[in-house]
Amino acid sequence: MISIIIPTLNEEASIARAIGSCREAGPCEVIVVDGGSRDRTAEIARGRADAVITAPRGRAAQMNAGAAVSRGEVLLFLHADTRLPGGSVPAVLGALQDASVIGGAFRVRLAASPGAGRYVRAALGITGRMIGARGAVSRSYSGDQAIFLRAEAFRAVGGYPEIPLMEDVELSRRMRRAGRTVLLPLRVGTSGRRWEAWGPLRTVLLMWRLRIGYLFGRTPSRCAEAYRRGPFMRREPPPPTSSAGG
């Protein structure tokens, strides 16, 4: 069995579609881990997921809590604003038929808002391809790419590090050290709200600055502070929740 774990915080507008995409992806267990939503997120999820639990707020802590109660031999971590394409479950299980592969991630398509202009749509398309190219070369994945791995490997590497930002980058690093990872050709669809709010180019530059800073010793707390400030000359406040995915 594959267990899909979805961390949530005030995601009533997107959680039903996220769970629906899991059902269309193939046979799976769906676990929603809520971090204290003040809207109807948990209520909506209870009618659709196999389990809804609560955990201290924080994406890494929530995903670790979901992994602790999961029954699957494979874990897949899905953001609430991301959709799995049909056939995702067989694709993941097929990749793991190779015993040397411990996990991996998907390519990504950034979805523009209905009112987005031609420039924004084109920029999001290019950014999505850049994220895929980065993952293919560096094997460093973001949470937007729906990271998956064997449950035994997840436990062996210590799960997600419970840090305020860069938990996906650190998990990717641990995965590379533990075994081989793959980037699947299927593309998950994820919200482009972060890139639209800050501007695609500014957001990409910010994400790369954070990643490079972290790799050269910048602490996760300082990275989180920089993320909350956003890129220079931002035009709008940051989106509700996110991680360094660009």
Side-chain angles (χ1 to χ4, degrees), residues 52-111:
V52 178
I53 66 172
T54 59
R57 179 176 174 176
R59 187 168 277 160
Q62 290 171 237
M63 291 187 289
N64 285 339
V69 302
S70 66
R71 297 182 293 128
E73 295 179 351
V74 178
L75 306 177
L76 187 153
F77 299 94
L78 184 72
H79 287 184
D81 61 358
T82 301
R83 312 285 176 265
L84 290 173
S88 295
V89 168
V92 168
L93 297 179
L96 295 175
Q97 289 297 310
D98 184 339
S100 68
V101 174
I102 66 164
F106 292 76
R107 296 182 183 273
V108 65
R109 175 180 56 81
L110 300 177

Side-chain angles (χ1 to χ4, degrees), residues 143-161:
D144 294 331
Q145 293 178 262
I147 296 173
F148 63 88
L149 70 167
R150 302 179 192 273
E152 60 182 1
F154 183 76
R155 291 189 291 269
V157 301
Y160 271 98

Side-chain angles (χ1 to χ4, degrees), residues 1-4 22-30 50 88-90 93:
M1 181 188 293
I2 182 169
S3 295
I4 301 177
C22 297
R23 300 308 186 194
E24 295 172 3
C28 61
E29 174 188 45
V30 179
D50 296 291
S88 295
V89 168
L93 297 179

